[in-house]
Amino acid sequence: MKKLAFFFTLCTLHLTLLQAQDNVYNLIPFPAQFNGGEGQFVVNPQTKIIVTAKDAGLKPIAQSLINALKTASKLTLPIASTATPTAKNVIYIRQNKALGLGSEGYKLLVSADRVILETATPQGAFYGMQTIFQLLPTAVFSPTPVENITWAMPVCQIQDKPRFVHRGLMLDVGRYFMPVSFIKKYIDLLAVHKMNVLHWHLTDDQGWRIEIKKYPKLTQIGSKRKETLVGQYSENYPQKFDGKEIGGFYTQAEIKDIVKYAQAKYVTIIPEIEMPGHASAALAAYPELGCEPTKKYEVATKWGVMTDVFCPTEQTFTFLQDVLTEVIPLFPGKYIHIGGDECPKDAWQKSAFCQELIKKLNLKDEHELQSYFIKRIEKFVNSKGRAIIGWDEILEGGVAPNATVMSWRGIKGGIEAAKQKHNVIMTPNTYYYLDYYQANPAKEPLAIGGYLPIEKVYEYDPSAEFSPEEQKYILGVQGNVWTEYMPTPQQVEYMTFPRATAIAEVAWVPSGGKNFEDFATRLKEHVKRMDYLKVNYSKRILDVKAVTQFNNQGQLQVRLEKLDSDSKIYYTLDGKEPSTSSTEYVMPITLDKITTIKAITTAGARFEEKFFIHRAKGKSYTYANAPAEGVDADRKKLTDGQVAQSPRNSAEWVWMSGKDFEITIDLGEVKPVTKVSANFLKIIMSNVFPPTSVEIGLSRDGENFKDAIAQPVNYQLEGPWQILPVVADFKTARARYIRVRAKNAGKSPSGQTITIAMDEVVVD
Ligand code: ACM
């Protein structure tokens, strides 16, 4: 594969087009300034690494290259401490305080004669070394020797530094404890991607995971939950639990060991101790910290936002300050994350103490009480020489004076914080929540919901919608890995990678320097590094995706797309398994009947999808009662030919709350109609009930509906969620208009408003 990487100035582009025809640079994140060249530097048994005595601090960086090559190639390179400017066959690593690339930047020159890595700091050298690893053959990441490889680096010139100082991943160990060995592996993976922050979410409703010596019950009681919800939150009615205890916590000795490990990889760990919400586990251990001290609080066994929160009493502040007094010395970084998100005010509203306090402090409401809470904690953290970070809810009721805001509910919190001259870290759920599905939810392991393919992660521009003045407050970006549906390290890896690789590039490359196609090509090689590192990344980067379109004759066409450009697709339409002797895909496939397309790629991916061709496909329709704004905005979802496959994929369904669901489809002319069907959802936990009855009628003029067929929808309240089909058989009718009327049952047995969810009205 020839590779012309992307560039930031036209003249470099021009230069490289002339010179770099044969060299390949699969660097992620891609350097800020890059010139390719001809030829290569070959590492052989005579190659020396030079680190002079004055730069002894860079020796560990040199040693990492020696170790990797020794393992993967059996070459043992010596370190020499004297340098002559004309020495050949050397890798010279040296400090240059006047480099002008900041504390994380580096300059790397690879020529056929020598490699020179210059940096102002060991951290810069560390990142330069990551680039050297990525210039070497992928096998340099191998944990065992690999034969028959020329250990060469393509010639190039790089001047590099990151766009942002905060390039992070958040890992939630509150929902599931992850072993120390895995935390270290996660740190390794951050470092490989030149990321520098692990935000460690250590406490939540479902588990308290950090040893606090003064409060032993936090881990004795708070680290254990008796069981865990089975399936998706709303999947079963009633909800089911697995009966298996889940626990685990980190001792302070283990934390010190992890922090030291991270420091060697230039990763700062930001601990998060959640308050005042997400406190169930702490309250289960110390109920006197809640607003109802006599209540039997429990470590939560299911997910969501809980009303059990810390009460803002003096006892609670003493407790939290004691906890922070033990936490702060364990983590040498500047920041302590104090949570602040999703704190329902129910308990504070009901509490006489809180109401008194609001009056006494002359506060407006419970939001201002939360603001008082956070400000008081900030004062304490500041007194210890540290600063707080909080989720964007800390803006409500007035933000604490020195707080950094982590914007998670989209980007508006970040913009608001920057307007108020507070630093912000952008981690919007709309782009950077790595617990969301990355591919078709019907075929993926269970996840929390949403849909966030890697293209969208990559597309995010952290400074979008910030004014130039406000942009100065953006410290950086971070992917969040909430683990409700990730019980194992393997699943965490699957959800994190390769999407985190896209975040790493967004965090590093200069504004405007991204190109997804180029990234995808480099990523195809990069995942081989992850293979060597035994990362269970999602293979969906290799997947085939179907996009439907209509040609000029109104026929349905299916376009098969993939991210990588150099594999081929072979497919069948007759249900047979495809092979490389099947038809090769070269242009969109035109379909005229219900067809299952099966395809394989030479990169090893497999694809199968059924396409429904029916008379109403692509036809427009009107609503009797409009659905909520944004739902089915272009009035196409019910006739787009893609039949919703799973209750998991909420985006495939059309939702109608508190009203009958009635549409009228216009076929454009009178046509034979034999059968009309539609699917409805049953998700009792979410008050999504099937309609009490569905009436399907036909008309030639759009006014007189004859031949209506009314069907009751039968289902059982208890049991898992379901897709319920309704079919009306018209045998040989003719009609232009088709009306589907689904009757809303009104209120659920518990008095809640009922929602109807419908998808694809199929007309044969
Ligand atoms: C969050 O996702 N509750 C920060």
Side-chain angles (χ1 to χ4, degrees), residues 638-655:
L638 294 169
T639 53
D640 64 2
Q642 283 176 330
V643 179
Q645 301 292 306
S646 162
R648 283 185 188 179
N649 194 0
S650 57
E652 289 185 310
W653 297 86
V654 179
W655 309 82

Side-chain angles (χ1 to χ4, degrees), residues 341-342 391 408 433 482:
D341 61 318
E342 298 182 322
W391 299 109
W408 75 276
Y433 264 40
W482 300 104

Side-chain angles (χ1 to χ4, degrees), residues 170 175 201 272 274 278 305 337 341-342 391-393 406 408-409 429 433 435 480 482:
M170 185 282 290
R175 274 53 184 258
H201 184 80
E272 181 180 352
E274 268 272 16
H278 288 288
V305 176
H337 200 304
D341 61 318
E342 298 182 322
W391 299 109
D392 58 44
E393 286 92 333
M406 206 167 245
W408 75 276
R409 294 175 298 179
N429 54 355
Y433 264 40
D435 53 340
N480 287 344
W482 300 104

